[in-house]
Amino acid sequence: MHQDKIIRPTKVVIVPGNGAGNVEHCNWYGWVKKQINQIPEMQCLLKNMPDPMTARESIWVPFMEKELHCDEETVIIGHSSGAAAAMRYAETHKVYGIVLVSAYVSDLEDENERESGYFNRAWQWETIQTNCRQIVQFGSTDDPFLPWSEQQEVADGLGAELHKYTDRGHFQNTQFHELINVVQKIVNGPA
């Protein structure tokens, strides 16, 4: 009898929001990387992205594949534009899971967001669900950039495990303990 290989996550990749500058020192990214790298048998990658201001899908998705090597053993943490990149990536690639922080579904009538290319077609929610074993989302109703309706649409479309806050804004703090707890549950959970 043939038995399927048990797949476990071995890597976490943080995909930042656009305009992040040096990502190691921006928001919670560097702090989360250090915390995840302390989890046994886990590696966390955080790199400055090409095209950091516009975050074009045509540049970021190939970078995630060829440079960050996101695969079936990878959990992608995407923040803001990085969440859009993670969702588009999961439309065409199998990954262990995606953790979306401040995710949204439209260009918000913003020219830079429109140029990114993520929002020029419908989201393939079912395909993303099929390609991910775990989908978790963090959102806050007081996000100054994203209406709650956009964040809720992501949660509804993906059937995400939603962590809803009222006081976290766009999650630009320097630490993110709840995110570490979620990653630990994903890593330690059943295959």
Side-chain angles (χ1 to χ4, degrees), residues 45-63:
L45 295 181
L46 171 64
K47 292 187 177 181
N48 288 323
M49 300 293 284
D51 189 35
M53 296 311 288
T54 306
R56 286 177 185 85
E57 177 184 4
S58 62
I59 296 172
W60 278 31
V61 167
F63 186 83

Side-chain angles (χ1 to χ4, degrees), residues 47-182:
K47 292 187 177 181
N48 288 323
M49 300 293 284
D51 189 35
M53 296 311 288
T54 306
R56 286 177 185 85
E57 177 184 4
S58 62
I59 296 172
W60 278 31
V61 167
F63 186 83
M64 292 167 69
E65 180 179 17
K66 294 177 177 69
E67 298 294 325
L68 299 174
H69 305 288
C70 297
D71 60 20
E72 286 189 77
E73 295 181 355
T74 303
V75 175
I76 301 171
I77 299 172
H79 178 225
S80 195
S81 298
M87 291 188 294
R88 287 300 185 198
Y89 189 87
E91 286 181 343
T92 56
H93 299 79
K94 286 191 179 296
V95 295
Y96 194 88
I98 54 176
V99 179
L100 308 171
V101 182
S102 301
Y104 53 111
V105 295
S106 78
D107 63 24
L108 306 164
E109 299 182 15
D110 178 271
E111 185 59 34
N112 194 59
E113 295 291 342
R114 195 170 7 266
E115 284 182 35
S116 73
Y118 297 110
F119 309 105
N120 60 9
R121 62 202 183 278
W123 293 94
Q124 299 175 39
W125 302 124
E126 289 182 14
T127 305
I128 296 169
Q129 289 174 315
T130 299
N131 285 341
C132 299
R133 293 168 180 258
Q134 302 269 341
I135 302 174
V136 180
Q137 180 182 349
F138 287 89
S140 190
T141 58
D142 69 339
D143 191 314
F145 308 114
L146 307 177
W148 180 252
S149 59
E150 292 262 336
Q151 298 175 75
Q152 187 66 58
E153 189 172 338
V154 172
D156 293 344
L158 293 176
E161 174 190 313
L162 178 61
H163 296 255
K164 180 179 179 179
Y165 296 87
T166 58
D167 60 353
R168 299 298 283 277
H170 199 60
F171 292 88
Q172 293 175 299
N173 42 311
T174 57
Q175 297 183 356
F176 199 164
H177 295 276
E178 300 90 344
L179 179 58
I180 298 302
N181 293 339
V182 161

